[in-house]
Amino acid sequence: MGVWVLVGVAGAVGLAAGAQQLVGFGFALMAMPLLSVLVGPQDAVALAAIASLAGGTSMAWRLRHLAARPVLRRLVAGAALGLPLGVLALGHVPDAPLRIAVALAVLAMVAILAVGWRMREERPRTELAAGFVSGVMGTAIGISGPPVVLVLQAARMEQHRFRATTVTFFVVCDLATLPLLLGTGVVGLERWPAAVVAVPAALVGNRACEGLAHRVRTEQFRPLVLALLVLAAGVALASAV
């Protein structure tokens, strides 16, 4: 693995970790398009899970008292059913379609957030369904956030409670994703030296934006994050076609 690939991995992960601190989501949305170009979609899912776990665990622990636990339990229950199905898709779909799927998922989420669309209601069964879809997407294309974000927005969840609930959900899913990827043989160890770079990059990006996240409102950074997501999706689409 070349030096510039490692530099790219570190940059993508650090940027994604900072975005997650500032707006409460966006790590996979930002990291996956870029990582899929650098190391391929299959390895990108594993790297994103490792980096997200490294950057998110401490954040989830610090915010644990704010997490909406009943909602979190329903999301996790749904994800437990969806994660294995996503692994099957990841192991059987070629690289180019996966990159396109990653880019389209990111662009769809950007469009939803940009127009301010919200679901009309929030129910326990909706949370279960969102967790299931999130689990499938998380292991298939490395992006598990959109269904969860939409459901929590429907609940009009307060900003910091939202951040605590989403990051805790992602950490739990990452802990389940890595054994599934390794146990099924979908991902090998060839490119995992990049994890040595990804982990500290996630920690640095997380730490660098932590204080800022408490001093400003999410809305101040959302336009910048959305613009960066569009750019990342464009890079993934260009590499696929």
Side-chain angles (χ1 to χ4, degrees):
M1 184 175 294
V3 172
W4 289 112
V5 172
L6 295 176
V7 171
V9 167
V13 168
L15 185 65
Q20 178 168 292
Q21 272 286 5
L22 293 174
V23 298
F25 65 94
F27 181 87
L29 289 170
M30 186 78 71
M32 274 302 300
L34 302 176
L35 291 177
S36 65
V37 173
L38 292 167
V39 299
Q42 287 83 3
D43 290 320
V45 170
L47 272 180
I50 292 172
S52 177
L53 189 59
T57 300
S58 61
M59 181 179 170
W61 177 255
R62 289 193 299 273
L63 300 177
R64 65 190 184 280
H65 60 288
L66 296 174
R69 296 189 180 185
V71 175
L72 185 59
R73 283 194 291 267
R74 289 189 285 270
L75 291 173
V76 170
L81 300 175
L83 288 168
L85 297 179
V87 171
L88 290 176
L90 182 66
H92 292 87
V93 179
D95 280 9
L98 284 174
R99 289 184 190 179
I100 293 173
V102 167
L104 292 180
V106 172
L107 291 174
M109 191 61 185
V110 168
I112 290 170
L113 293 172
V115 301
W117 182 83
R118 293 176 183 268
M119 296 172 61
R120 292 186 178 181
E121 59 183 346
E122 170 265 332
R123 297 177 178 174
R125 65 184 180 186
T126 306
E127 294 161 0
L128 283 168
F132 173 78
V133 176
S134 178
V136 174
M137 291 178 62
T139 46
I141 59 174
I143 296 175
S144 59
V148 173
V149 169
L150 293 177
V151 166
L152 297 189
Q153 282 187 338
R156 303 297 195 270
M157 190 173 286
E158 185 271 332
Q159 174 184 343
H160 296 298
R161 193 169 183 82
F162 173 88
R163 291 171 64 234
T165 304
T166 54
V167 74
T168 304
F169 173 74
F170 297 145
V171 165
V172 172
C173 288
D174 291 336
L175 285 171
T177 294
L178 292 173
L180 281 171
L181 293 177
L182 287 173
T184 57
V186 171
V187 174
L189 300 176
E190 295 82 5
R191 292 188 182 269
W192 280 39
V196 177
V197 173
V199 169
L203 295 174
V204 169
N206 200 329
R207 189 66 176 175
C209 295
E210 181 181 6
L212 194 58
H214 290 285
R215 293 196 299 270
V216 298
R217 293 184 58 82
T218 294
E219 288 74 15
Q220 294 178 256
F221 287 97
R222 183 162 294 194
L224 174 60
V225 171
L226 294 183
L228 291 173
L229 290 176
V230 171
L231 180 60
V235 171
L237 274 177
S239 72
V241 300

